[in-house]
Amino acid sequence: MPFSSLRSFAVAAVLPVAVTLSPAISTASEAGNPQAKRIVAVGGTITEILYALGAGDRVVARDSTSTFPEQALTKPDIGYMRALSSEGILSQKPDLILSEEGAGPADVIGILKASEVPMVTIDTPPLPNAIAKKIEDVGSAVGLSDKAKAIAADVDAGLDALASDVAAVGEKKKRVLFVLSTAGGRIMAAGKDTEAAAIIEMAGGVNAAQEITGYKPLTDEAVIAAAPDVVLTMQRGNHGGSPDEVFGLPAFQSTPAAATKALISMDGLYLIGFGPRTPAAGRELASKLYPEIVKP
């Protein structure tokens, strides 16, 4: 599940558009588009990679999850990646639509794929060892394979260095509970097969919600049983939930994390976007979990 699927969204209207039927590119491996100068980027990590490749000037529009780098925010916003409008995208007159896996709704994607505009979909599994391929796939799609390979190699080197440092933690790993939301006092947490679980493991922690898969609500009893040493959240705008807010909830009051008010908040795209900045994000999280072992 890509990072952007974690955000709430409104239902987007699907407006009719005139399209010319022709074969569309569906995956990055089928063909490249080195001449594309008007790219619509769908997915925060896709946009981040394009800018890292030096192709930011070729991006004419981006979706609402594309919040990094800051320059990307100057581009027109086509809406949330799971509630897209085909008219809104095609009105940008793109010569390439580059999207993370999971964009929607399905009928809009069908219209886009049937249009005369090439559309490339990039696989985004929540695995650290898949980041390099993601970067290389984006590079291949826009004719920048050599630059992409260099960035991918740097990412792999950063991940290897982090793994080496985290190994010093040994068996004294902290239990970390990633909390997506506490709306209405309900705890929405990250289980197995999520980006959050992967970044926790990368940073030398143990996912405290291993009994569930995906992002699901936990009962108060389940939170208590998870016994997290640390609670991890995404920052909302320029701030995250305060320790008093989080640990004031009944579910957390008797947890080990509450005893020390151990709360870590980090930018969402940085933390679980799984792109070029992931080695830095993993290291930052590890340094917060184990400040005496892992240095930022």
Side-chain angles (χ1 to χ4, degrees), residues 52-190:
L53 290 169
D57 59 337
R58 296 163 63 182
V59 176
V60 295
R62 46 89 197 180
D63 78 308
S64 62
T65 71
S66 298
T67 57
F68 183 88
E70 188 174 349
Q71 302 95 295
L73 299 177
T74 65
K75 303 299 175 75
D77 185 342
I78 56 165
Y80 176 57
M81 68 168 287
R82 289 184 178 273
L84 298 172
S85 159
S86 53
E87 183 178 71
I89 292 175
L90 296 176
S91 70
Q92 299 296 328
K93 297 181 172 56
D95 52 14
L96 174 64
I97 301 166
L98 191 55
S99 173
E100 285 185 17
E101 181 185 20
D107 49 358
V108 170
I109 300 303
I111 292 172
L112 295 175
K113 287 185 175 181
S115 78
E116 61 186 3
V117 181
M119 182 172 183
V120 176
T121 300
I122 304 296
D123 289 338
T124 56
L127 301 169
N129 60 8
I131 298 173
K133 184 178 186 301
K134 187 189 308 184
I135 294 169
E136 290 179 6
D137 283 349
V138 173
S140 175
V142 297
L144 294 171
S145 291
D146 288 346
K147 287 186 178 180
K149 287 178 181 177
I151 294 172
D154 286 344
V155 167
D156 280 344
L159 293 174
D160 288 345
L162 175 59
S164 177
D165 291 348
V166 164
V169 173
E171 299 301 317
K172 298 181 180 179
K173 296 182 177 181
K174 293 184 179 180
R175 296 177 60 81
V176 182
L177 182 66
F178 177 88
V179 176
L180 177 63
S181 170
T182 59
R186 296 185 69 198
I187 312 302
M188 182 72 72

